[in-house]
Amino acid sequence: MTALKDKIRTRIASDGPLTVAQYMSICLADPDAGYYATKEPFGQEGDFITAPEVSQMFGELIGAALLSAHDALGSPDSFQLVEIGPGRGTLMSDLLRMAALRPAFLKAARLNLIETSPRLRKIQGKTLARSPLTPDFRDTFNDVPDGPVLLVANEFFDALPIHQFVRTGEGWLERQVGLDGKDELAFGLGATRLPDADVPASCSKAAPGTILETQPMANAIAEEIGNRIARFGGAAILIDYGYLKTAPGDTLQALYKHKYDYALAHPGEADLTAHVNFEALGAAASRGGASVLSTMTQAEFLLQSGLLQRAGALGAGKSHKEQEAIRDAVERLAAPDQMGDLFKVLAVTQTGLSFAPFDTAP
Ligand code: SAH
């Protein structure tokens, strides 16, 4: 029994069932017992390892891509460098080391870290203590000052609450978290119906019991990013695990001590995520006024950015053991059965702007 499970059961008993989105949001963000408030999720000791924690090469190659976006923008002498959900600050630290090769980039950049967790802000500040830029912490993307923007977000959108709908004889009804006869958390159906206009054509003939997910929070932020880019210019690189085309399926996923877990088993103690619908994310950015430049797999992005060359340079003159570790990292980041295929990289730009490696269609 987790402390949060008790709290959630009490709340359901008095106020009724929660939507899946409400459940996710409480599990991740409850200020006392939520996952991000209490856990150290990243790294060997935590529940999962993100790409920047696998190898410095990941942040460096994102840095190289943002340098080429800065060039394509005509090297503006002031812009907002933004990361949403920076975790331990590792990606930004590696990105800035790469950016140091281009003094004009560093001189023009104002660093904004969008982070809700006070605990993680502290860690990010420490990681970046010796980096060339001092971060301004912001609560939301809206708080970033005006100006052209170069933005990155890795494994941020997967942590935003999703809604789930179940196909029934009466249309798509919202899936809820309630209590069963034994007072245990259990999935059930609510009365809220997904409007017909929101049912994708590919799902119109789905069998009863099929689950369809919507991600209004992720889409709202993507639209804001698109809007900002349309107004002030710039580009965004959004990386997450997810799928390229809208399709039905239950992707709500709990990870507890490196193992998959039942989503209702350890609220607040397991990481809870959902796969990102990149078709919807790109459409939202376009609604905001920006253009989708490209959506690639992580493997395509990294290999076209020069992952193998970077690995070779990094390993040159190192011990056999260190070279082995670099090879392992390359596998982990780019092999199709590891992170290479499941993770996608969406590049959003002001209309007409193109930059490497997204300018060469895979
Ligand atoms: N990008 C990092 C961490 C990914 S985990 C990495 O790749 O290692 C998700 C991150 O998003 C954490 O830093 C978490 O605290 C932050 N986060 C979650 N919800 C958020 C929100 N609504 N606004 C800003 N940051 C959020």
Side-chain angles (χ1 to χ4, degrees):
M1 165 73 60
T2 70
L4 195 57
K5 195 184 245 183
D6 238 4
K7 192 166 167 180
I8 293 174
R9 292 200 313 189
T10 308
R11 172 164 165 185
I12 293 174
S14 75
D15 300 347
L18 304 169
T19 64
V20 169
Q22 286 169 325
Y23 175 74
M24 252 184 113
S25 162
I26 294 171
C27 288
L28 294 175
D30 184 271
D32 304 319
Y35 184 73
Y36 281 115
T38 57
K39 288 279 187 167
E40 185 54 59
F42 322 103
Q44 304 290 347
E45 301 293 304
D47 295 313
F48 58 93
I49 303 176
T50 56
E53 305 295 334
V54 168
S55 167
Q56 68 182 76
M57 295 184 286
F58 187 79
E60 289 170 351
L61 295 176
I62 302 274
L66 288 189
L67 285 181
S68 73
H70 184 247
D71 282 348
L73 281 172
S75 302
D77 52 19
S78 166
F79 72 93
Q80 304 295 338
L81 179 60
V82 181
E83 180 171 3
I84 313 186
R88 301 180 56 83
T90 309
L91 189 160
M92 187 49 71
S93 155
D94 294 332
L95 184 161
L96 290 175
R97 198 175 49 253
M98 171 63 85
L101 300 175
R102 201 78 62 81
F105 180 97
L106 284 185
K107 195 157 169 256
R110 294 196 46 198
L111 178 58
N112 301 266
L113 300 182
I114 320 293
E115 175 60 66
T116 39
S117 155
R119 196 179 61 77
L120 287 175
R121 281 186 181 194
K122 249 187 227 148
I123 296 177
Q124 291 154 15
K126 250 190 217 154
T127 305
L128 293 170
R130 274 198 300 256
S131 81
L133 299 178
T134 307
D136 285 320
F137 290 102
R138 317 269 182 211
D139 291 330
T140 71
F141 175 65
N142 261 335
D143 301 330
V144 174
D146 289 356
V149 63
L150 291 177
L151 179 147
V152 61
N154 184 60
E155 289 210 43
F156 165 68
F157 289 98
D158 66 41
L160 297 179
I162 55 148
H163 292 264
Q164 291 190 324
F165 294 86
V166 182
R167 179 73 189 246
T168 71
E170 292 113 77
W172 296 84
L173 296 183
E174 178 139 29
R175 198 177 188 209
Q176 294 183 325
V177 178
L179 296 175
D180 66 12
K182 291 189 200 118
D183 242 15
E184 282 300 324
L185 296 181
F187 286 110
L189 284 183
T192 307
R193 246 185 96 186
L194 184 67
D196 289 343
D198 293 349
V199 179
S202 60
C203 299
S204 61
K205 294 209 169 67
T210 303
I211 289 181
L212 181 63
E213 298 179 341
T214 63
Q215 50 179 45
M217 290 186 68
N219 292 347
I221 296 176
E223 186 168 340
E224 266 177 46
I225 293 172
N227 186 268
R228 159 79 56 141
I229 288 175
R231 277 170 63 211
F232 296 107
I237 301 178
L238 312 178
I239 310 129
D240 237 300
Y241 52 104
Y243 45 103
L244 293 174
K245 287 267 167 244
T246 303
D250 175 9
T251 76
L252 183 67
Q253 168 178 304
L255 209 57
Y256 184 60
K257 299 189 173 148
H258 289 277
K259 288 212 176 71
Y260 291 110
D261 193 31
Y262 178 52
L264 305 182
H266 295 99
E269 295 191 358
D271 184 37
L272 211 52
T273 59
H275 288 201
V276 174
N277 178 342
F278 275 88
E279 185 183 18
L281 206 64
S286 302
R287 266 199 309 281
S291 297
V292 171
L293 175 57
S294 163
T295 314
M296 294 178 169
T297 64
Q298 178 164 303
E300 286 163 348
F301 166 75
L302 290 174
L303 293 171
Q304 289 185 39
S305 294
L307 177 66
L308 300 181
Q309 294 80 345
R310 183 71 194 113
L314 201 59
K318 298 263 172 68
S319 71
H320 180 72
K321 203 169 153 215
E322 285 167 305
Q323 289 177 345
E324 191 87 335
I326 294 169
R327 261 198 300 277
D328 282 353
V330 168
E331 278 279 302
R332 186 133 189 194
L333 292 174
D337 60 342
Q338 303 212 28
M339 301 177 91
D341 269 0
L342 180 56
F343 281 74
K344 310 292 186 298
V345 183
L346 168 65
V348 172
T349 59
Q350 70 192 71
T351 304
L353 188 83
S354 175
F355 65 98
F358 304 102
D359 46 359
T360 48

